[in-house]
Amino acid sequence: VDRKRHAAKLHRTPPWVDLEQIKVIYLEAARLTKDIGIKYDVDHIIPLQGEYVSGLHIASNLQVITHIANMIKGNRYEVL
């Protein structure tokens, strides 16, 4: 599963992406986890491997949410 997810992330990362912006988001999740004591994840708003749509691994498609919220959300994206 981890290899498949890693491969999907690489495939969905465009060459023009700002990797420093992405790093800052992951650091924020780690900081919140440490400071608050609740595990935080970096979530793809539009999943990399969604059923109907697939997002990119870019900063504007990332959000920091609790691990529990991420598990509840799963690999879904609500299309309005």
Side-chain angles (χ1 to χ4, degrees):
V1 173
D2 285 339
R3 283 188 212 182
K4 183 178 177 184
R5 178 152 176 77
H6 181 71
K9 189 184 288 187
L10 287 175
H11 181 70
R12 304 297 297 163
T13 304
W16 47 262
V17 72
D18 185 339
L19 294 174
E20 284 301 312
Q21 281 184 325
I22 291 174
K23 181 179 177 182
V24 167
I25 295 167
Y26 278 88
L27 289 172
E28 177 63 7
R31 184 193 68 77
L32 287 170
T33 297
K34 181 181 176 192
D35 290 354
I36 297 174
I38 298 171
K39 182 163 174 38
Y40 280 80
D41 294 337
V42 176
D43 171 61
H44 290 88
I45 299 164
I46 302 173
L48 298 180
Q49 299 175 304
E51 184 176 350
Y52 301 109
V53 296
S54 294
L56 295 175
H57 185 62
I58 58 175
S60 62
N61 189 37
L62 299 175
Q63 62 182 347
V64 175
I65 61 175
T66 65
H67 179 71
I68 292 171
N70 196 20
M71 293 298 100
I72 291 168
K73 177 182 178 265
N75 195 31
R76 293 187 304 274
Y77 176 71
E78 187 175 327
V79 180
L80 302 175

